[in-house]
Amino acid sequence: MTTSSSPRTRTMPTVEHKLNISEEEIPEQILRLAQEQGESSSTEAAVIEQFRSYILERNECQPHRSDDKYLKKFLRARYWKIENSYRLLCSYYKFREHNKSYYEKVRPLDLRHVGESDILSVTPYRDQHGHRILIYRFGLWRPNRVIVDDIFRATIVLQELGSLEPISQIVGGVGIFDLKDLGLEHIFHLSPSVAQKMIALLVTSMPIRTSALHIVNQNWVFNAAFKIFKPFLNAAMREKLFIHGSDMSSLHKHIDPEHLPKRYGGLHEDYSYTLWLDMLKEQCPTNGVQKDMEQLGFIFD
């Protein structure tokens, strides 16, 4: 789509906004990681069938699909542990039930104003571990122009799309919260309810793991914001939370600069959320993704 030159005089390859939805696109090193996580071609069909039976027996939630492909992403998200995968499945459907307005009759292509504000984006490339990077720049958020519910809707679209990618199902994703210029007007809108929903999306209720959350460029306002979020972070998630300030070399210990935007000491340009919406419009009607999204309640006509 575009090319960018690095400060190290390297030329970055063309970056394309494209979903990797085929199992055949999984690199060998990611396949090895999947095996380490409990995935096995010899037992996969049997485990999925056990999971399907477990869902029917417990009957605490009723997924809208129960085909192998759909159930597999929940198993991958919880390392093929049936009980943990079931808890995730029910948590996902509980979140959907409690937040119907984030799915039902939502038109993803109408969320362009969120992308144009540059509040959030996800990289079209992956880091050295195969993660896509979800980036929030809350200091750019103008609550009088973009309501918080639209930020959630835009996030969910990205999460649902990511959960369709086998590579992302296996490795999960990482998040960067850039808090430069975060102000009191933002804190006013970050209620405990909003914090709980954000944690649900990034940690507990979506069939794609968040492997790490990185906080950068925080200021004194962060302390107030963190007090709101902290009660919803379990011990495991706190171990995945890294606070870097303005020290990008600290961030680079986790994500190689080759896989970061220039604003974080990396090599890439910034890529707008709107480019993913363009991808949805141009590519997804023909590859089955749009059908998957429509089954969740999204509208594309």
Side-chain angles (χ1 to χ4, degrees):
M1 188 168 282
T2 59
T3 58
S4 57
S5 298
S6 81
R8 303 174 189 173
T9 69
R10 292 182 57 190
T11 300
M12 298 303 294
T14 298
V15 175
E16 181 182 10
H17 284 70
K18 178 181 179 293
L19 292 176
N20 307 123
I21 59 174
S22 171
E23 294 278 339
E24 296 177 358
E25 295 181 86
I26 304 176
E28 188 62 37
Q29 71 270 22
I30 304 296
L31 288 174
R32 288 195 296 270
L33 176 62
Q35 292 173 354
E36 294 172 6
Q37 294 176 353
E39 186 166 331
S40 170
S41 58
S42 62
T43 61
E44 178 182 308
V47 174
I48 292 175
E49 187 56 41
Q50 289 174 21
F51 186 34
R52 187 181 292 111
S53 298
Y54 192 88
I55 294 168
L56 291 173
E57 291 168 6
R58 297 295 292 267
N59 197 33
E60 295 171 13
C61 55
Q62 291 76 41
H64 72 286
R65 289 173 55 182
S66 61
D67 55 277
D68 288 7
K69 181 180 178 181
Y70 186 70
L71 296 183
K72 188 174 181 178
K73 68 179 181 180
F74 288 91
L75 287 164
R76 277 176 164 164
R78 292 298 181 266
Y79 305 108
W80 293 84
K81 304 295 184 182
I82 289 179
E83 186 174 343
N84 292 348
S85 301
Y86 179 73
R87 284 202 296 266
L88 172 63
L89 181 78
C90 289
S91 179
Y92 171 74
Y93 279 93
K94 182 179 179 180
F95 180 87
R96 282 177 50 85
E97 179 64 25
H98 290 174
N99 299 280
K100 291 182 179 179
S101 67
Y102 294 164
Y103 285 90
E104 294 181 2
K105 298 181 180 179
V106 171
R107 299 176 184 271
L109 300 183
D110 288 348
L111 295 170
R112 184 168 290 273
H113 65 291
V114 182
E116 290 171 346
S117 68
D118 293 324
I119 301 169
L120 80 158
S121 63
V122 68
T123 57
Y125 50 85
R126 299 178 184 274
D127 72 5
Q128 70 271 24
H129 302 297
H131 306 120
R132 291 199 192 272
I133 307 169
L134 178 63
I135 302 173
Y136 289 94
R137 298 170 65 194
F138 282 115
L140 298 179
W141 177 30
R142 298 296 174 261
N144 61 330
R145 300 178 188 173
V146 178
I147 62 174
V148 68
D149 282 341
D150 277 349
I151 297 177
F152 280 123
R153 292 181 182 107
T155 299
I156 286 169
V157 168
L158 292 177
Q159 293 281 72
E160 292 289 0
L161 289 173
S163 77
L164 299 176
E165 297 186 295
I167 297 173
S168 297
Q169 292 169 8
I170 295 167
V171 303
V174 298
I176 294 177
F177 280 50
D178 185 344
L179 303 185
K180 182 181 179 181
D181 297 326
L182 187 74
L184 291 176
E185 72 274 19
H186 303 117
I187 300 299
F188 178 76
H189 292 272
L190 294 178
S191 66
S193 173
V194 168
Q196 190 172 19
K197 289 177 183 177
M198 183 64 74
I199 296 302
L201 282 180
L202 296 179
V203 182
T204 62
S205 301
M206 294 296 286
I208 182 169
R209 291 189 307 277
T210 298
S211 299
L213 288 175
H214 300 280
I215 308 294
V216 300
N217 297 324
Q218 74 273 12
N219 57 24
W220 65 271
V221 180
F222 167 74
N223 294 327
F226 191 58
K227 288 179 181 178
I228 300 172
F229 279 82
K230 193 173 181 179
F232 304 106
L233 293 173
N234 59 28
M237 197 60 235
R238 291 180 190 183
E239 292 180 359
K240 299 177 182 179
L241 181 66
F242 303 94
I243 301 173
H244 306 285
S246 59
D247 182 6
M248 294 304 133
S249 65
S250 175
L251 177 63
H252 297 167
K253 294 176 182 177
H254 302 267
I255 307 175
D256 191 286
E258 185 174 334
H259 310 293
L260 283 168
K262 291 178 180 178
R263 70 176 61 256
Y264 306 123
L267 307 180
H268 285 275
E269 305 295 338
D270 293 319
Y271 295 101
S272 172
Y273 178 90
T274 59
L275 294 171
W276 285 110
L277 298 182
D278 293 341
M279 182 279 300
L280 266 176
K281 184 177 181 180
E282 296 166 5
Q283 301 177 23
C284 292
T286 59
N287 63 10
V289 169
Q290 191 175 110
K291 181 180 178 181
D292 286 344
M293 297 291 280
E294 286 174 340
Q295 289 177 347
L296 295 172
F298 296 109
I299 297 175
F300 289 91
D301 58 18

